[in-house]
Amino acid sequence: MAPDGADELAAVIVNYNVRDHLLACVRSLRDEGVRDVVVVDNDSIDGSGPALAAADPDARFIPAGANLGFGRAANRGVAATAASLVLILNPDAVVEPGSVKTLLAALDEDEGLAVVGPRVDNPDGTRYPSVRRFPDLGMAAGHAFLGLVRPGNRFTRRYRMLDREPNRAGPVDWVSGTCMLVRRPAFDAVGGFDEAYFMYVEDVDLCTRLRRRGWTVLFSPELEVVHQIGVSTKGQRGPMAFEHSRSIQRYYEKFHARGGGALLVPFVRAALWLRAALVSTLDRRRGR
């Protein structure tokens, strides 16, 4: 059965060389009654297109022609649908039964709500920290460096909201782009994802701009997806650390490089690239 409001809803998936996960993701959406499924493919070479056409001919497959990154590809997918509500998710996420209907109900209840993020679980049943705070510099530095050797440090716990009751719904600073339901008018009003981010932090940026416009971002643990983390970037953690640092640098300079914050730009850049180098070195030593 299609969920109430299904005609207003589209799902947009950004795919990159994860064919089997993509098929499972689309199946989970169909099981939830999502009729309009748009897949933007970032130049995969694993046969994702033919496999999807065989498994689900009604799903729309849009070849990007190159690897556009997440935000740019997601914007292309959103532009391809006229739906007023768009579920944006990774191809390695599987929507649990009942989640889509609950997502739609959350947005129906609050016209000031722009984004709803679900609970995200790892395949082993542990919780993925999909809801987080906007960190100040002290929290960010502590998380960035202590987190490499002490994942349970107080800065990381505060940033990832790990001491928050995990099943408590409510407004939050931002939710992960792993899976988010967005209200189309709000998304369009802020220009969608900032395409200057190739990968990482585009979700933080989107939620920052929405909240500054007065919209609300909600975490709703009644909704659940299971996410296979890092499938598309498997074996590339070192290079991705530099991409992550590049994105954080852009975010800082975009939102915080004003007044005294501008004086800290060189130090922020140096710290980010130092952390990326440390991650890359540690990964090589661990044989990843």
Side-chain angles (χ1 to χ4, degrees), residues 61-251:
F61 187 84
I62 302 175
N67 189 349
L68 304 181
F70 179 82
R72 189 177 171 193
N75 284 347
R76 185 172 291 190
V78 173
T81 176
S84 59
L85 302 173
V86 183
L87 182 65
I88 302 169
L89 70 167
N90 287 353
D92 50 2
V94 173
V95 178
E96 293 295 286
S99 290
V100 170
K101 186 175 182 178
T102 310
L103 279 170
L104 294 172
L107 279 177
D108 282 343
E109 291 172 2
D110 184 355
E111 292 184 356
L113 185 57
V115 176
V116 182
R119 171 176 175 149
V120 180
D121 285 344
N122 300 309
D124 63 3
T126 57
R127 177 187 169 202
Y128 174 74
S130 61
V131 51
R132 306 187 188 188
R133 289 185 171 90
F134 295 136
D136 56 33
L137 275 179
M139 189 194 309
H143 164 67
F145 289 97
L146 280 178
L148 295 177
V149 292
R150 287 178 52 202
N153 71 83
R154 65 187 179 92
F155 300 102
T156 296
R157 295 195 67 82
R158 178 167 172 73
Y159 168 56
R160 293 182 170 177
M161 303 179 72
L162 297 180
D163 294 322
R164 182 181 191 272
E165 168 54 48
N167 292 319
R168 179 164 59 88
V172 293
D173 287 347
W174 65 277
V175 295
S176 171
T178 296
C179 180
M180 54 167 58
L181 180 65
V182 301
R183 191 186 298 277
R184 181 70 174 276
F187 185 84
D188 289 345
V190 298
F193 289 112
D194 182 342
E195 297 183 3
Y197 298 96
F198 178 76
M199 200 171 171
Y200 305 117
V201 188
E202 62 279 306
D203 44 10
V204 192
D205 181 288
L206 176 67
C207 291
T208 298
R209 287 180 286 124
L210 286 167
R211 283 172 52 83
R212 289 187 175 190
R213 290 281 192 95
W215 292 93
T216 303
V217 176
L218 180 74
F219 169 64
S220 184
E222 298 88 0
L223 330 173
E224 184 180 349
V225 301
V226 177
H227 181 222
Q228 298 269 357
I229 301 170
V231 174
S232 296
T233 58
K234 188 175 182 180
Q236 303 179 60
R237 189 163 182 258
M240 287 299 99
F242 285 96
E243 192 60 50
H244 187 251
S245 288
R246 185 177 292 109
S247 293
I248 295 175
Q249 177 182 317
R250 172 170 176 76
Y251 180 85

Side-chain angles (χ1 to χ4, degrees), residues 248-286:
I248 295 175
Q249 177 182 317
R250 172 170 176 76
Y251 180 85
Y252 179 82
E253 294 179 7
K254 181 176 178 179
F255 293 106
H256 299 292
R258 304 287 186 277
L263 300 176
L264 296 176
V265 167
F267 301 99
V268 170
R269 288 179 180 173
L272 287 169
W273 295 105
L274 173 59
R275 183 186 184 278
L278 288 172
V279 170
S280 184
T281 299
L282 289 171
D283 281 354
R284 285 197 301 268
R285 290 179 177 175
R286 294 166 180 164

Side-chain angles (χ1 to χ4, degrees), residues 12-33:
V12 170
I13 305 166
V14 177
N15 181 64
Y16 180 66
N17 287 324
V18 289
R19 178 191 60 216
D20 294 341
H21 291 285
L22 171 65
L23 299 183
C25 177
V26 172
R27 279 197 303 271
S28 74
L29 291 168
R30 294 305 196 195
D31 288 345
E32 285 292 277

